[in-house]
Amino acid sequence: MSKTIIVTGSTDGIGKLTALSFAEKEHTVYVHGRNKAKVDAVISEIKTKTNNQNMHGLVADFSDLEAVSKLAEQIKVDIPKIDILINNAGIFKTKEVQNKNGLDIRMVVNYLAPYVLTNAILENIKQSEAPRIINLSSAAQAPVSEAVLIGKEQDSENSTYAQSKLALTMWSFNLAKQEPSINVIAVNPGSLLNTKMANEAYGQHWSPAEKGVNIIYDLATSDAYKNDSGKYFDNDKGDSKGYFAPAHPDAYADSKIEILLNITNRLLED
Ligand SMILES: NC(=O)c1ccc[n+]([C@@H]2O[C@H](COP(=O)([O-])OP(=O)(O)OC[C@H]3O[C@@H](n4cnc5c(N)ncnc54)[C@H](OP(=O)(O)O)[C@@H]3O)[C@@H](O)[C@H]2O)c1
């Protein structure tokens, strides 16, 4: 059955190939990016490749939380039922470290933006018979510093990226508990996959991007994963394909998750 799917950050890398995979199976796919011309170009490329005309665009710079909220308002009206949300947009290296509100762009794009977007459109996601949310985590996970999260202190790009990914994973586990009707899975798609992010950050890659695309597609659609809400899939484990494995211990510490979400909500109220 055809599903309605949003893939954030699908103008490049894993997200773009994931949007293509969904389009090949005749689903309705929303391509999201920060640059309208790039979104339009990806849509026409995928339409040409797949002949799927049910392709649409969403534009918002995720380093700007007002833009994310505006996009969410548009989605609430335009897409009444969302079957699958892939929170994929992410950034590691960035020329501008802080956004206009003084927050680290990695924290904003990788954690705060998906948090704001997802929470704002939850009712539309819950209209689906079997909704799924896939959150793109990473092998890089480090304890979240309040000072870094709220923009009071800066840390290295490695550390801030890892903090943003653990924050996303902690929230992912909490969301699974809070919304039992939604299947919420966090995934490390595999380390150093062949994308702009990995090549810019490390000057090399270990595996093709398709390794990550295949597991995201399966986690989002396969019956095999329908009872795995609240888990973390680690695609660095195993031989060709990973398995569910423990995330960073902080993702299982209820008191730390509560603190993280309190700080997050306070920050977003300001
Ligand atoms: N590659 C890996 O080895 C690896 C490993 C673990 C986890 N991941 C995660 O997988 C996800 C996809 O990464 P990737 O490797 O495919 O990276 P990528 O090729 O750099 O693609 C990132 C996507 O996010 C978008 N994006 C970046 N900043 C944005 C912003 N401010 N607003 C809106 N969209 C923005 C990019 O848009 P533009 O096209 O405009 O740049 C692009 O579409 C990320 O969450 C990443 O952390 C990747």
Side-chain angles (χ1 to χ4, degrees):
M1 207 180 67
S2 170
K3 291 181 185 292
T4 299
I5 300 159
I6 298 175
V7 185
T8 70
S10 41
T11 45
D12 215 327
I14 298 168
K16 180 178 171 185
L17 292 170
T18 303
L20 174 65
S21 295
F22 286 127
E24 280 168 344
K25 300 286 180 204
E26 290 170 14
H27 296 296
T28 296
V29 184
Y30 284 79
V31 169
H32 158 262
R34 54 184 154 177
N35 176 320
K36 184 172 184 317
K38 210 169 167 184
V39 169
D40 290 344
V42 169
I43 290 174
S44 40
E45 187 185 327
I46 295 181
K47 275 185 176 172
T48 307
K49 276 190 180 146
T50 63
N51 205 22
N52 181 343
Q53 299 306 308
N54 294 321
M55 302 291 307
H56 309 277
L58 300 169
V59 181
D61 183 340
F62 272 19
S63 69
D64 176 355
L65 293 174
E66 281 168 29
V68 177
S69 294
K70 242 173 110 181
L71 176 68
E73 289 310 308
Q74 181 200 328
I75 290 174
K76 271 155 88 170
V77 176
D78 292 350
I79 321 176
K81 185 177 85 159
I82 299 157
D83 296 297
I84 298 169
L85 170 63
I86 312 285
N87 281 316
N88 167 80
I91 192 99
F92 185 105
K93 270 200 177 294
T94 166
K95 273 192 214 120
E96 300 285 332
V97 174
Q98 290 178 320
N99 77 353
K100 62 181 181 187
N101 305 108
L103 300 175
D104 188 291
I105 281 181
R106 281 161 287 249
M107 275 295 182
V108 183
V109 175
N110 302 352
Y111 168 55
L112 294 169
Y115 181 91
V116 167
L117 176 70
T118 306
N119 283 321
I121 62 174
L122 271 182
E123 288 311 312
N124 302 47
I125 294 171
K126 281 154 73 172
Q127 298 309 308
S128 171
E129 298 73 33
R132 293 196 193 185
I133 298 174
I134 309 298
N135 289 322
L136 268 286
S137 183
S138 168
Q141 297 175 24
V144 184
S145 147
E146 174 173 359
V148 172
L149 174 57
I150 66 173
K152 223 171 109 190
E153 277 177 19
Q154 281 187 20
D155 207 334
S156 68
E157 53 191 15
N158 272 312
S159 171
T160 312
Y161 176 81
Q163 290 184 46
S164 73
K165 289 297 179 180
L166 179 54
L168 181 83
T169 308
M170 292 165 82
W171 160 63
S172 188
F173 288 2
N174 183 265
L175 183 64
K177 279 190 194 154
Q178 178 200 313
E179 300 294 343
S181 67
I182 308 177
N183 188 352
V184 187
I185 298 176
V187 58
N188 162 28
S191 291
L192 271 71
L193 303 180
N194 188 8
T195 67
K196 181 177 70 195
M197 178 185 286
N199 291 316
E200 274 178 11
Y202 301 103
Q204 59 169 323
H205 58 268
W206 293 340
S207 310
E210 284 75 8
K211 177 179 176 178
V213 177
N214 293 341
I215 190 57
I216 294 168
Y217 187 89
D218 285 354
L219 291 171
T221 58
S222 167
D223 264 2
Y225 300 116
K226 69 178 181 194
N227 296 321
D228 288 314
S229 190
K231 294 188 186 171
Y232 169 72
F233 192 97
D234 189 346
N235 215 22
D236 283 336
K237 302 267 195 272
D239 289 331
S240 59
K241 185 174 157 187
Y243 45 79
F244 288 105
H248 188 284
D250 283 10
Y252 305 93
D254 288 343
S255 59
K256 290 190 179 172
I257 294 176
E258 195 183 329
I259 291 169
L260 170 72
L261 297 181
N262 283 338
I263 297 168
T264 303
N265 292 331
R266 245 187 289 129
L267 182 64
L268 295 172
E269 276 163 18
D270 288 348

